[in-house]
């Protein structure tokens, strides 16, 4: 998510559903639903509490306060704060960096990391082992290993 301006309520819920959040230094983020007798839905509460912890999530949801970008960075709501004119170029740079990676590995990494939030470390390692055993049989892994040895960029195909 590239947040420039206000991300409140549904906009914040959408941002929390993204893997990465970058914000312009002038952005403000929050959950004002309580001001109209509601709470964040669509994963707002569940994602928020895992991202920032219970006490911080309670404060954000129950007060409805909007936090400036720098405070959002301190809370862990965003990973980067940039000047507004650098926001989209940086977001595109990150997207290009990810697009150059093996898509199957990225997808399984996301599944394993998300799954590890809710399980003990031993089961998390089992998820990792399973994903790794799947990935070792892919054409992308063979291409990645070959490119590494040949000191060139891999050409991943998602197979």
């Amino acid at each position: 998510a590239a947040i420039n301006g206000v991300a409140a309520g549904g906009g914040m819920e959408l941002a929390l559903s993204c893997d990465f959040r970058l914000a312009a230094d002038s952005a403000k983020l929050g959950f004002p639903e309580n001001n109209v007798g509601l709470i964040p839905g669509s994963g707002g509460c569940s994602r928020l509490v895992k991202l920032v912890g219970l006490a911080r999530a309670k404060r954000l949801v129950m007060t409805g306060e909007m936090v400036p970008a720098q405070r959002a960075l301190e809370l862990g709501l965003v990973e980067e704060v940039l000047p507004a004119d650098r926001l989209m170029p940086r977001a595109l740079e990150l997207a290009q960096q990810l697009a150059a990676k093996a898509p199957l590995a990225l997808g399984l990494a996301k599944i394993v990391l998300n799954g590890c939030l809710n399980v003990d470390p031993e089961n998390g390692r089992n998820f990792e082992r399973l994903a790794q055993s799947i990935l070792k049989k892919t054409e992308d892994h063979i291409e990645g290993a070959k490119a590494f040895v040949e000191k060139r960029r891999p050409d991943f195909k998602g197979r």
Side-chain angles (χ1 to χ4, degrees):
I3 303 164
N4 190 0
V6 176
M12 191 59 204
E13 291 163 3
L14 179 61
L16 287 183
S17 72
C18 296
D19 293 319
F20 307 101
R21 285 163 303 285
L22 290 68
D25 53 10
S26 58
K28 291 188 187 247
L29 301 87
F31 288 104
E33 287 90 340
N34 204 5
N35 296 331
V36 294
L38 296 173
I39 65 168
S42 303
C45 289
S46 58
R47 288 186 178 108
L48 182 66
V49 75
K50 288 183 179 182
L51 189 63
V52 303
L54 182 60
R56 288 177 169 172
K58 282 182 179 180
R59 180 172 181 128
L60 289 168
V61 170
M62 295 170 83
T63 66
E65 68 185 292
M66 298 296 293
V67 296
Q70 193 57 45
R71 179 69 178 135
L73 178 65
E74 294 164 7
L75 291 170
L77 286 172
V78 299
E79 291 81 41
E80 294 182 48
V81 173
L82 306 117
D85 64 340
R86 284 285 310 133
L87 179 64
M88 286 310 294
R90 175 64 184 123
L92 292 171
E93 177 185 314
L94 179 57
Q96 289 169 342
Q97 180 183 359
L98 293 168
K101 305 295 181 188
L104 297 174
L106 284 180
L108 279 175
K110 181 175 177 173
I111 290 168
V112 169
L113 288 165
N114 287 342
C116 285
L117 278 174
N118 301 312
V119 299
D120 61 272
E122 182 58 34
N123 280 314
R125 285 189 295 278
N126 287 336
F127 288 161
E128 293 168 0
R129 290 179 193 113
L130 179 61
Q132 197 74 308
S133 67
I134 292 168
L135 291 169
K136 283 189 180 243
K137 296 180 182 348
T138 65
E139 291 177 27
D140 278 353
H141 168 63
I142 294 166
E143 165 61 13
K146 185 176 176 183
F148 178 79
V149 170
E150 296 173 357
K151 296 182 175 30
R152 63 173 174 80
R153 293 182 62 133
D155 182 22
F156 296 121
K157 304 288 188 197
R159 301 187 290 245

